[in-house]
């Protein structure tokens, strides 16, 4: 019996030693691969986005990340403040000057752009008389915009909301998008009614279990953001995911997702659902007498179309969604920066791919954030002059 225990103890010691050596080797290899720019030099953005029971998605508080999930751009230094909003400046209930809330998705969250060069930071320099708070977050749709306004933005007594609309807002909350943390909607053609599906309570019960909350604690986040082992693991996941997406694009004629893009009845249902969400959001704005200024986000498919480049199936779908979204907002004073962006890019001799994005991604690059901040601030000043 003593001999048996001795063997088990030796086995455990050997296992621990082998695991430690394996971990050290991965850390050293990861650092070397990052130095060669084969592996990202920062942590994946997946660590800085959490599900939220009131408005679907939000960030950790009081933490800084070096985010880098695609080697076609440099790492970005990203801060999340005392309320979990993107930015290094803390926000308090009591305000000292008029407030502007930025409300949008990943296009305005700008985690692929380092602090100081993101849209919110640039607007702070251009509109110094105002406090700019960026309430944007990856993955948000129109229903989330309503929820985050009611549950968070409203507390801070904002004077203006700059709302940024992206084409994927058109289908973010459609019932076929099976995301447990989001509200979903469908359209019943027979009764001409919208059917609502609330966030999955069972999902959140598990999500907020003590062990899972600990996994999202700043203690664990700090380990993840400094761990090359985690970066290696996540990079492998991203490569596998990219391969699957590439395969889906090649087989789009038989892929269910792409068939849905061509389903006219489904498109009409999505349009009804989106119209409902927009109308609900606008009712809230009108009730609270909020000065709302809506802008369209601009992405690569618009420039490809303008330049006569043949669009992929995915780009065609995005363009169709953009047109549907724009049509709905045309009656509500939407501001479209596209034509101005062409002039801006041509003036700087930058009118070619990747335009306002990057070669591997069409979220705003530093060129994009500079243009959007300049365009937005100019239109805001024009708005003020017209309403004084």
């Amino acid at each position: 019996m003593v001999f048996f225990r001795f063997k088990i103890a030796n086995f455990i010691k050997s296992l621990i030693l082998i695991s430690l050596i394996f971990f050290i080797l991965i850390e050293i290899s990861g650092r070397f691969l990052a130095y060669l720019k084969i592996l990202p030099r920062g942590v994946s953005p997946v660590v800085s986005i959490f599900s939220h029971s009131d408005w679907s998605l939000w960030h950790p508080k009081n933490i800084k990340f070096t985010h880098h999930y695609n080697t076609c751009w440099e790492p970005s230094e990203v801060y999340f403040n005392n309320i979990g909003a993107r930015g290094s400046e803390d926000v308090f209930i009591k305000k000292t000057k008029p407030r502007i809330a930025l409300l949008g998705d990943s296009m305005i969250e700008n985690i692929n752009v380092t602090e100081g060069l993101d849209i919110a930071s640039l607007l702070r320099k251009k509109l110094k008389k105002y406090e700019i708070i960026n309430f944007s977050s990856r993955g948000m749709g129109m229903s989330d915009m309503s929820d985050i306004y009611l549950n968070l933005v409203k507390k801070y007594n904002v004077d203006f909301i700059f709302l940024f609309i992206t084409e994927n807002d058109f289908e973010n909350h459609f019932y076929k998008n099976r995301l447990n943390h989001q509200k979903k909607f469908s359209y019943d053609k027979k009764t001409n009614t919208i059917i609502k599906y609330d966030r999955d309570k069972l999902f959140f019960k598990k999500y907020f279990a003590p062990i899972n909350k600990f996994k999202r604690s700043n203690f664990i986040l700090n380990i993840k953001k400094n761990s090359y082992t985690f970066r290696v693991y996540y990079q492998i996941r991203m490569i596998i995911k990219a391969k699957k997406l590439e395969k889906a694009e090649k087989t789009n004629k038989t892929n269910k997702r792409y068939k849905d893009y061509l389903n006219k009845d489904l498109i009409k249902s999505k349009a009804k659902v989106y119209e409902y969400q927009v109308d609900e959001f606008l009712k809230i704005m009108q009730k609270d007498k909020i000065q709302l200024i809506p802008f369209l986000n601009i992405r690569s498919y618009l420039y490809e179309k303008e330049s006569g480049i043949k669009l992929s199936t995915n780009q065609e779908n995005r363009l169709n969604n953009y047109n549907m979204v724009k049509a709905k907002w045309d009656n509500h004073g939407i501001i479209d920066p596209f034509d101005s962006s062409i002039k801006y890019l041509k003036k700087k001799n930058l009118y070619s791919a990747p335009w306002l994005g990057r070669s591997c991604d069409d979220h705003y690059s530093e060129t994009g954030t500079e243009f959007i901040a300049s365009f937005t601030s100019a239109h805001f000043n024009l708005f003020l002059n017209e309403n004084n």
Side-chain angles (χ1 to χ4, degrees):
M1 189 70 176
V2 174
F3 176 73
F4 182 68
R5 287 178 180 173
F6 177 76
K7 287 193 72 173
I8 291 176
N10 275 348
F11 174 76
I12 292 172
K13 286 178 183 178
S14 298
L15 186 63
I16 291 172
L17 182 61
I18 292 169
S19 299
L20 186 61
I21 293 170
F22 182 69
F23 172 75
I24 291 170
L25 286 173
I26 292 179
E27 284 291 305
I28 294 170
S29 301
R31 287 177 183 273
F32 181 67
L33 291 171
Y35 174 77
L36 295 176
K37 298 186 178 181
I38 296 171
L39 185 74
R41 285 163 284 156
V43 70
S44 165
V46 72
V47 304
S48 66
I49 192 72
F50 296 162
S51 295
H52 198 286
S53 57
D54 291 328
W55 58 82
S56 295
L57 293 158
W58 200 230
H59 316 107
K61 299 175 183 178
N62 300 312
I63 195 166
K64 172 190 171 185
F65 293 97
T66 300
H67 273 319
H68 196 210
Y69 66 102
N70 208 321
T71 52
C72 79
W73 62 69
E74 293 300 303
S76 58
E77 300 295 323
V78 179
Y79 293 80
F80 296 106
N81 63 19
N82 64 316
I83 65 168
R86 165 78 202 265
S88 59
E89 299 179 6
D90 285 344
V91 180
F92 303 97
I93 296 294
K94 185 179 179 180
K95 64 181 182 181
T96 56
K97 51 186 176 181
R99 282 177 168 163
I100 298 172
L102 308 185
L103 206 51
D105 59 11
S106 55
M107 296 294 289
I108 307 303
E109 182 193 30
N110 289 154
I111 59 160
N112 59 325
V113 177
T114 211
E115 189 71 22
L117 299 174
D118 58 297
I119 289 170
S121 295
L122 295 175
L123 282 173
R124 290 183 189 109
K125 296 173 185 175
K126 295 174 185 295
L127 302 171
K128 294 180 180 179
K129 293 181 180 179
Y130 296 85
E131 181 182 6
I132 312 292
I133 311 174
N134 191 354
F135 291 99
S136 305
S137 180
R138 283 155 274 172
M140 278 195 173
M142 277 310 308
S143 181
D144 292 326
M145 307 291 184
S146 296
D147 287 341
I148 197 171
Y149 169 77
L150 291 170
N151 291 286
L152 184 64
V153 179
K154 192 172 180 178
K155 294 177 183 177
Y156 294 91
N157 190 24
V158 300
D159 300 279
F160 301 91
I161 290 181
F162 292 179
L163 178 70
F164 294 87
I165 305 297
T166 308
E167 90 286 330
N168 53 20
D169 294 337
F170 183 69
E171 52 190 11
N172 269 350
H173 289 278
F174 196 60
Y175 77 100
K176 280 183 172 285
N177 293 346
R178 302 190 180 281
L179 298 173
N180 295 314
H181 56 258
Q182 280 188 311
K183 289 180 179 176
K184 292 180 280 291
F185 302 84
S186 64
Y187 173 67
D188 188 327
K189 187 176 179 181
K190 291 180 180 178
T191 59
N192 190 31
T193 56
I194 299 295
I195 302 169
K196 306 176 193 178
Y197 308 88
D198 206 353
R199 296 181 177 90
D200 190 330
K201 291 181 181 178
L202 182 59
F203 165 79
F204 279 105
K205 185 177 179 180
K206 294 178 181 177
Y207 191 78
F208 290 119
I211 185 64
N212 289 325
K213 288 178 74 173
F214 175 70
K215 289 177 183 177
R216 298 189 299 275
S217 67
N218 278 24
F219 172 74
I220 296 297
L221 291 179
N222 278 297
I223 292 175
K224 284 183 175 181
K225 76 176 189 176
N226 293 302
S227 168
Y228 281 85
T229 302
F230 181 78
R231 294 177 199 181
V232 170
Y233 155 75
Y234 199 77
Q235 190 66 8
I236 292 170
R237 281 190 60 183
M238 291 293 288
I239 291 169
I240 293 170
K241 183 179 179 181
K243 291 291 183 184
K244 287 181 179 179
L245 287 173
E246 185 181 347
K247 185 178 179 182
E249 179 71 23
K250 288 179 180 178
T251 59
N252 56 43
K253 290 182 180 179
T254 57
N255 185 281
K256 188 177 185 302
R257 180 186 174 199
Y258 289 99
K259 283 184 177 181
D260 284 349
Y261 289 167
L262 304 174
N263 188 319
K264 291 183 179 180
D265 286 336
L266 211 57
I267 292 169
K268 288 178 182 178
S269 294
K270 288 179 182 178
K272 291 287 186 181
V273 164
Y274 183 70
E275 287 170 7
Y276 170 83
Q277 292 174 69
V278 172
D279 291 342
E280 289 296 297
F281 179 83
L282 291 172
K283 284 177 187 175
I284 294 168
M285 295 296 102
Q286 290 163 5
K287 181 183 176 183
D288 287 359
K289 298 179 180 178
I290 294 293
Q291 295 269 30
L292 177 69
I293 307 176
F295 296 90
L296 275 168
N297 279 318
I298 43 181
R299 307 188 79 168
S300 59
Y301 49 82
L302 294 172
Y303 299 106
E304 290 176 9
K305 183 74 174 178
E306 181 72 14
S307 303
I309 298 170
K310 182 174 174 57
L311 301 184
S312 67
T313 306
N314 185 46
Q315 291 290 70
E316 283 183 1
N317 176 65
R318 295 170 85 201
L319 178 61
N320 290 337
N321 287 353
Y322 169 87
N323 290 331
M324 300 289 279
V325 164
K326 189 174 185 295
K328 175 59 184 175
W329 279 95
D330 271 341
N331 296 327
H332 303 290
I334 193 79
I335 300 167
D336 187 350
F338 182 56
D339 290 340
S340 295
S341 75
I342 294 175
K343 294 176 184 176
Y344 174 85
L345 290 169
K346 286 183 176 178
K347 185 177 179 180
K348 290 185 171 288
N349 294 318
L350 294 172
Y351 189 71
S352 61
W355 299 285
L356 296 183
R358 293 188 174 92
S359 59
C360 56
D361 182 272
D362 64 354
H363 286 84
Y364 295 131
S365 64
E366 289 80 3
T367 300
T369 58
E370 176 57 43
F371 167 72
I372 293 296
S374 298
F375 180 87
T376 304
S377 58
H379 272 268
F380 180 59
N381 287 324
L382 184 65
F383 173 86
L384 293 176
N385 290 334
E386 290 176 348
N387 288 274
N388 282 341

